[in-house]
């Protein structure tokens, strides 16, 4: 993510607005916070310290900077804190971060959310596998739409708080769907844990990685390779295709052997370890290959995938 513009209200210095916002956000883990801090560091490498920092999950953050409490977050967050007349302007679909201190709205910072290099190819491949992509975001629908358009038009569920993301996952699972969640931020942790399959990226927050089942490690074109999600699903499907028929054949064979020897059913059940030993080597057969940067399988000699 990157800062697009800093828009102070009349009478507020642009650099001071960015400086105070970054002083608060330097303690936050959200990608928007990192973008604001990076933009401020270009003009002022040494940010002032902030006291009494508190994060408001999905809403913003606050802290005391230069003896004054500064609030950074959504327009609704400022309004709930008693800040009157929170002005808004058209932002061209960018994410808007509002800044207030002394209980007055001081301006806005707009942030653009760039796509990871392999995002489009990954979603195309997931659709080819028969999966339904959904863009689940805490951002506004206005900010989410341009991103969704660039991704090929997945369904968009916008303006959801962290706990609401978890509720969306619960509702999808309750409807009979199997849900995989891919996320990288602290606000994604509950949803990652709730999903049937939680996938975090190595550059994400520790809490997101801890809550996930899989962490993507492979780097491609300078960023985490989201085609690793496709590879993980492809590998699991290929493995199941081998395990299921082999498991049935092995189980049937053991039951028939027990019947002929007039052994109790507990014997072939205990002998299930033999089945597992037979199935495991077969599950490694090269019926699956990882995807390339363009979303297509590489030549046959490349059969390894890193996550």
């Amino acid at each position: 993510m990157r800062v697009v513009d800093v828009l102070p209200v009349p009478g507020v210095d642009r650099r001071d607005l960015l400086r105070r916002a970054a002083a608060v956000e330097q303690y936050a883990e959200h990608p928007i916070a990192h973008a604001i801090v990076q933009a401020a560091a270009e003009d002022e490498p040494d940010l002032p310290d902030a006291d009494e920092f508190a994060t408001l999950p999905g809403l913003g953050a606050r802290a005391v900077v230069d003896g004054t409490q500064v609030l950074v977050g959504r327009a609704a967050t400022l309004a709930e804190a008693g800040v009157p007349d929170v002005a808004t302007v058209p932002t061209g679909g960018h994410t808007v971060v509002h800044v207030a201190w002394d209980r007055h709205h001081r301006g806005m910072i707009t942030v653009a959310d760039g796509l990871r290099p392999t995002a489009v190819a990954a979603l195309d491949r997931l659709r080819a596998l028969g999966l339904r992509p959904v863009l689940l975001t805490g951002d506004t629908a206005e900010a989410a739409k341009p991103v969704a358009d660039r991704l090929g038009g997945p369904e968009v569920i916008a303006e959801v708080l962290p706990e609401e993301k978890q509720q969306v996952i619960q509702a999808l699972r309750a409807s009979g769907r199997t849900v995989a969640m891919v996320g990288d931020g602290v606000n994604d942790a509950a949803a990652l844990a709730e999903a049937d399959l939680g996938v975090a990226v190595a550059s994400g927050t520790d809490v997101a990685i801890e809550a996930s089942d899989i962490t993507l490690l492979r780097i491609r074109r300078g960023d985490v390779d989201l085609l690793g999600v496709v590879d993980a699903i492809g590998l699991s499907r290929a493995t199941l295709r081998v395990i299921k028929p082999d498991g049935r054949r092995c189980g049937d064979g053991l039951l028939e052997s027990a019947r002929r020897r007039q052994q109790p059913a507990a014997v072939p059940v205990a002998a299930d370890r033999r089945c597992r030993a037979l199935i495991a080597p077969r599950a490694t057969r090269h019926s699956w290959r990882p995807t390339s940067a363009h979303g297509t399988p590489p030549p046959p000699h490349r059969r390894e995938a890193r996550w």
Side-chain angles (χ1 to χ4, degrees):
M1 304 190 82
R2 62 181 179 84
V3 169
V4 177
D5 206 354
V6 180
L7 305 169
V9 300
V12 175
D13 179 71
R14 178 185 182 278
R15 290 182 62 181
D16 189 40
L17 177 71
L18 183 59
R19 170 182 169 274
R20 289 177 185 254
V24 176
E25 296 284 38
Q26 66 183 315
Y27 302 103
E29 294 186 323
H30 197 280
I32 291 177
H34 296 167
I36 291 174
V37 171
Q38 185 176 7
E42 295 175 1
D43 293 330
E44 188 171 343
D46 298 322
L47 294 173
D49 292 332
D51 300 317
E52 301 177 27
F53 171 80
T55 185
L56 310 171
L59 300 172
R62 64 171 179 262
V64 175
V65 181
D66 296 336
T68 301
Q69 187 175 86
V70 179
L71 180 61
V72 181
R74 302 181 179 205
T77 305
L78 273 63
E80 290 176 5
V83 177
D85 303 324
V86 180
T88 58
V89 297
T91 62
H94 296 141
T95 300
V96 180
V97 179
H98 294 269
V99 185
W101 63 82
D102 287 336
R103 303 185 76 84
H104 288 286
H105 185 225
R106 303 297 180 173
M108 301 178 296
I109 300 172
T110 60
V111 181
D113 193 359
L115 296 181
R116 297 184 188 273
T118 54
V120 174
L123 260 68
D124 288 344
R125 290 284 293 155
L126 290 173
R127 292 188 188 94
L129 291 173
L131 303 177
R132 166 192 162 200
V134 177
L135 178 59
L136 184 62
T137 176
D139 225 328
T140 64
E142 179 188 8
K145 186 179 184 306
V147 176
D149 289 343
R150 292 159 63 191
L151 289 171
E155 178 185 349
V156 176
I157 303 176
E159 300 185 53
V160 287
L161 297 176
E163 62 271 19
E164 292 172 339
K165 289 183 180 181
Q166 182 181 16
Q167 292 167 7
V168 170
I169 301 297
Q170 289 174 341
L172 289 170
R173 295 184 68 197
S175 69
R177 296 183 180 275
T178 301
V179 182
M181 168 76 181
V182 183
D184 63 357
V186 63
N187 293 340
D188 298 323
L192 286 167
E194 182 65 34
D196 295 288
L197 174 65
V199 183
V201 300
S203 59
T205 61
D206 291 342
V207 67
I209 293 172
E210 181 66 24
S212 67
D213 302 296
I214 295 175
T215 300
L216 302 179
L217 301 178
R218 188 173 62 196
I219 302 297
R220 182 170 282 161
R221 291 158 61 183
D223 205 340
V224 172
D225 185 8
L226 293 180
L227 287 169
V229 179
V230 182
D231 289 340
I233 294 172
L235 177 59
S236 65
R237 288 183 173 182
T239 302
L240 285 174
R241 282 196 298 270
V242 174
I243 289 175
K244 286 182 178 179
D246 283 359
R248 285 194 296 268
R249 285 196 293 269
C250 185
D252 291 345
L254 287 171
L255 286 172
E256 177 62 20
S257 175
R259 185 188 65 79
R260 290 179 180 179
R261 298 176 185 178
Q262 295 183 344
Q263 293 175 331
V267 173
V269 171
D272 179 59
R273 294 180 181 178
R274 291 165 51 192
C275 285
R276 294 174 186 173
L278 291 171
I279 292 168
R282 290 174 57 81
T284 63
R285 294 183 307 182
H286 51 273
S287 57
W288 162 88
R289 286 175 286 160
T291 51
S292 71
H294 303 290
T296 56
H301 64 277
R302 293 180 57 195
R303 293 175 185 162
E304 294 184 0
R306 284 187 71 230
W307 298 298

